[in-house]
Amino acid sequence: MNIAQLLVKSALEYPDAIALARGETPHLDHRNLLRKVSVMATHLHHRMKLVPGDRVAFAMTNCVEAIETMYAIWHAGLCAVPMNAKLHPREFAFILQNSGARLCFVTSDLAEDIASVKDDCPALERIVDVSTRDYGFMAVGDPVLAHDAAPTDPAWLFYTSGTTGRPKGATLSHRNLLAMTLNYFADVDRPEPGHSIIHVAPISHGSGLWNFPAMARALTQVFPESGRYDVPEMVSLARRWPQATIFLAPTMVKRLIEHPAVHDLRPGDIRTISYGGAPMYVSDLKKSIDLLGNVMVQLYGQGEAPMTITHLSRAVHADRDHPRWEQRLASAGLADACVEVRVVDEDGKPVPTGEVGEIICRGDVVMGGYWDNPEATSRSLRDGWLWTGDVGAFDADGFLTLKDRSKDMIISGGSNIYPREIEDVLNLHPAVLECSVVGKPHPEWGEDVVAFIVLREGARATPADLDQLCLDNIARFKRPKDYRFIDALPKNNYGKILKTELRTKL
Ligand code: AMP
């Protein structure tokens, strides 16, 4: 099924439900969104001469046009290449070249960046700025029926965030996206038509992927007018639009719970905060539950199996009386409904419960491969299983605890040390705003544990204080040998901490 059918169906069943809103203002209902998208598809075919299978990129700060263009692309049988708005022009150029995109939609703030690399991208014929008449003209004309796409046709090239090396384009098919959508209803939530989703995280990534369950249930997709994550703005939109669903990276959750505006939220304003993409520290999670109520759902996935490997449900977050509640909050939860998950050794053999190994998964959510990158594909997809590069362990109840990316694990004196465990302890100190732990090469021990610490403004903590905290909570050999106090942690455009960059400071 062409994923564009989600809009076709919602337009039939809930034609008058508002599909898109700019801030507080309704933009289009589902009937008119479908009408616009199907006319735009005609332009893509006839005026721009694109043929099914062609790639169409976009570089846009979050805005309603991002959803319009995406659905027009799928409606026309083309493949979307969403690019993070914060990328460097060189990174845009790489993705445009690698995907061979023939057309790129842009918001005006990014028009110059894309124009500046056009000459380096031989396949790129045209750039359309969505604030211009060129784009407005695409809404005028005759509609066309949605292209009859095969389930395996590429629909979305999801470029990995590239915390190591060049980004790779995980090729997601219509079937992958549909499986992810149905999995949302099985494991995360089933919102009602008329409810809302507020897109504050990049639409090219997690928040954009959640547009599918939102479209399938005829939600109102709300785009903050600032085009970015601003806590007071998001809070007032959550008060305006019913029962908001919001995808947030853990660093964004932290900003929310530390902002005074969080207290303006009324019970029920937020229906679900789905968080994931990076570790969430237990101390932040408990504070979120206390402040926001039972709205948190964790997702563990990756571009290669979008949003869908394991989940930590609302019910587990609420089950405070469970003897292993805290342990469970520190986990990524249970395997998702639509995917098989295993923890294996180097040969792909499952390791016993409780033992650490690489996480692999198989199912309809797993990508077909990386775009134009057969070597990387054969490393990641073996015998139908996706090797995630993440390391973790199942407990006896089936909860998966992520240890770290395999490459982030520290080996000291022959023992494996997982930075996240130490970071969880350091975060307990009230003076610590954020921290990250990495390994420093050591001639005798292999590696030494080093902690980078960002203190809250005006707060104080000495290495001795932090060392005592570690002594009280974890095995002695895991304690950092060195504490480095810095102003801010280096992060990529998705808010993920760049340990590679921290290691260069050692
Ligand atoms: P990306 O493909 O850019 O979305 O990055 C996916 C990676 O983010 C995964 O392979 C994990 O290393 C990490 N990740 C995703 N979800 C979680 C989570 N819930 N907890 C910890 N790390 C996560």
Side-chain angles (χ1 to χ4, degrees):
M1 179 183 116
N2 184 336
I3 200 71
Q5 291 289 347
L6 296 180
L7 170 58
V8 174
K9 293 175 187 199
S10 283
L12 282 175
E13 198 164 355
Y14 306 102
D16 300 322
I18 300 164
L20 295 175
R22 278 186 216 278
E24 310 231 329
T25 315
H27 174 60
L28 285 175
D29 60 23
H30 284 80
R31 177 195 292 113
N32 284 304
L33 176 59
L34 175 60
R35 160 101 203 157
K36 181 164 186 179
V37 157
S38 17
V39 173
M40 286 172 71
T42 304
H43 284 255
L44 292 171
H45 286 159
H46 298 304
R47 193 157 61 90
M48 303 187 180
K49 304 276 180 261
L50 296 166
V51 293
D54 279 345
R55 274 80 57 215
V56 177
F58 69 76
M60 293 194 211
T61 36
N62 282 12
C63 59
V64 290
E65 289 81 2
I67 297 290
E68 294 176 356
T69 51
M70 277 201 267
Y71 277 85
I73 290 167
W74 295 316
H75 201 93
L78 309 167
C79 174
V81 185
M83 301 191 287
N84 185 311
K86 291 192 189 143
L87 293 182
H88 187 277
R90 276 204 311 273
E91 297 171 298
F92 285 133
F94 174 79
I95 294 177
L96 290 165
Q97 289 158 0
N98 185 256
S99 65
R102 291 181 59 195
L103 166 67
C104 185
F105 288 103
V106 296
T107 41
S108 44
D109 51 332
L110 295 168
E112 224 169 276
D113 279 2
I114 299 297
S116 73
V117 301
K118 186 167 181 288
D119 288 347
D120 303 330
C121 306
L124 184 62
E125 293 160 22
R126 194 174 191 127
I127 300 166
V128 175
D129 181 336
V130 298
S131 67
T132 59
R133 286 174 60 180
D134 195 13
Y135 182 75
F137 184 52
M138 290 184 75
V140 182
D142 294 324
V144 65
L145 287 177
H147 176 75
D148 184 15
T152 48
D153 283 351
W156 179 318
L157 300 191
F158 186 107
Y159 277 84
T160 56
S161 43
T163 44
T164 52
R166 288 283 204 192
K168 300 186 285 286
T171 305
L172 303 175
S173 65
H174 294 272
R175 175 183 285 150
N176 294 149
L177 298 173
L178 187 61
M180 182 201 73
T181 305
L182 298 178
N183 198 94
Y184 186 92
F185 302 134
D187 286 333
V188 184
D189 192 20
R190 191 165 187 271
E192 294 297 326
H195 291 172
S196 62
I197 178 168
I198 306 177
H199 291 294
V200 286
I203 198 78
S204 57
H205 214 78
S207 208
L209 288 166
W210 274 176
N211 104 79
F212 299 110
M215 189 61 84
R217 295 295 292 151
L219 305 196
T220 302
Q221 305 205 36
V222 181
F223 287 83
E225 289 192 271
S226 69
R228 59 190 179 84
Y229 181 47
D230 176 87
V231 172
E233 183 184 28
M234 186 188 82
V235 166
S236 63
L237 290 174
R239 290 172 62 97
R240 157 72 175 89
W241 294 101
Q243 301 220 18
T245 292
I246 306 170
F247 171 78
L248 296 176
T251 45
M252 299 167 91
V253 175
K254 195 173 170 83
R255 272 167 64 194
L256 172 63
I257 57 178
E258 304 223 329
H259 199 288
V262 72
H263 300 288
D264 297 338
L265 286 166
R266 301 158 305 189
D269 283 341
I270 292 186
R271 177 187 175 92
T272 302
I273 289 184
S274 67
Y275 65 93
M280 172 82 152
Y281 297 107
V282 174
S283 47
D284 291 337
L285 187 51
K286 281 178 157 170
K287 194 169 170 196
S288 313
I289 300 168
D290 290 343
L291 275 169
L292 301 164
N294 188 19
V295 302
M296 307 297 289
V297 182
Q298 187 194 158
L299 288 316
Y300 159 53
Q302 54 178 208
E304 295 82 345
M307 311 294 257
T308 316
I309 301 176
T310 65
H311 67 286
L312 192 68
S313 70
R314 205 187 285 275
V316 173
H317 284 88
D319 192 9
R320 281 175 191 266
D321 296 332
H322 194 282
R324 287 185 299 287
W325 182 59
E326 288 208 6
Q327 205 177 314
R328 289 182 167 184
L329 289 188
S331 82
L334 298 165
D336 279 350
C338 298
V339 73
E340 289 171 86
V341 186
R342 288 184 184 163
V343 172
V344 299
D345 64 16
E346 283 165 8
D347 301 323
K349 279 215 306 290
V351 299
T353 303
E355 277 186 27
V356 174
E358 182 160 346
I359 299 161
I360 64 173
C361 68
R362 177 168 75 171
D364 275 356
V365 289
V366 172
M367 66 164 184
Y370 294 111
W371 188 261
D372 197 21
N373 195 339
E375 300 85 48
T377 301
S378 59
R379 272 198 305 275
S380 287
L381 289 180
R382 293 180 234 160
D383 299 328
W385 290 85
L386 169 70
W387 289 63
T388 62
D390 291 318
V391 171
F394 275 121
D395 72 9
D397 300 332
F399 282 75
L400 179 71
T401 296
L402 293 177
K403 296 298 181 181
D404 276 288
R405 299 289 294 169
S406 42
K407 62 186 180 312
D408 290 336
M409 188 175 78
I410 300 168
I411 304 181
S412 186
S415 299
N416 294 350
I417 300 177
Y418 298 103
R420 176 153 179 211
E421 197 185 344
I422 305 162
E423 291 159 5
D424 251 330
V425 170
L426 294 171
N427 271 311
L428 294 174
H429 197 288
V432 172
L433 178 65
E434 46 181 11
C435 66
S436 184
V437 167
V438 295
K440 176 181 174 183
H442 185 278
E444 201 176 331
W445 300 110
E447 282 181 294
D448 257 354
V449 178
V450 177
F452 285 87
I453 309 281
V454 180
L455 292 177
R456 286 175 198 283
E457 221 174 285
R460 243 180 69 85
T462 62
D465 299 335
L466 298 173
D467 200 47
Q468 187 58 48
L469 185 67
C470 289
L471 279 172
D472 293 344
N473 286 282
I474 41 170
R476 297 184 77 88
F477 74 92
K478 298 180 184 168
R479 283 147 57 221
K481 299 285 173 306
D482 190 5
Y483 291 92
R484 308 269 180 96
F485 293 89
I486 55 175
D487 292 339
L489 294 176
K491 296 195 184 116
N492 74 5
N493 293 318
Y494 299 94
K496 289 186 205 243
I497 294 164
L498 289 170
K499 294 204 184 221
T500 36
E501 210 166 306
L502 284 176
R503 288 191 197 102
T504 66
K505 296 182 196 289
L506 291 171

